[in-house]
Amino acid sequence: MNSALKYLPHESQQNPMLLAGIWEPAANDAPLSFSILTQGAVGVVASVHDRQPIVLRWADLPLWLSGELSQISPLLMPAPLPVRFHFVSSRVGNVRED
């Protein structure tokens, strides 16, 4: 794994990826809190990073939004992501670049 290299991941069929997340509504003056859930990387992602987001299938979206932990637990199992990677310039992510 070489953290100096920059990669652009994208879904292999060019569809938007649904990332599993959790959120907490704002209380008092606190901002909304949101986190993307991750798991240990498997498949092609493991050659780039040790973690990967949990990607949901579009068909599983209603189930995920139901919030029933006993039913959504199978969606949290490690699975290869349907992604491909392209190398990008090291200028990507550099705040000194426009």
Side-chain angles (χ1 to χ4, degrees):
M1 179 170 39
N2 186 341
S3 60
L5 297 176
K6 303 284 183 172
Y7 300 90
L8 172 65
H10 61 87
E11 202 267 345
S12 58
Q13 301 300 316
Q14 300 298 316
N15 295 319
M17 285 192 289
L18 294 175
L19 303 181
I22 56 175
W23 69 280
E24 183 176 13
N28 301 329
D29 292 330
L32 176 72
S33 177
F34 178 85
S35 294
I36 294 175
L37 301 179
T38 64
Q39 60 190 6
V42 296
V44 67
V45 178
S47 66
V48 177
H49 202 276
D50 62 339
R51 304 289 301 162
Q52 69 181 34
I54 296 172
V55 176
L56 302 172
R57 295 179 310 149
W58 284 91
D60 292 330
L61 184 58
L63 179 59
W64 179 258
L65 294 176
S66 76
E68 292 296 325
L69 186 58
S70 62
Q71 294 184 21
I72 63 174
S73 295
L75 303 178
L76 304 177
M77 301 306 294
L81 296 184
V83 296
R84 292 184 290 173
F85 291 94
H86 293 281
F87 292 105
V88 295
S89 169
S90 60
R91 294 169 48 194
V92 171
N94 184 336
V95 296
R96 289 175 258 157
E97 296 292 335
D98 187 10

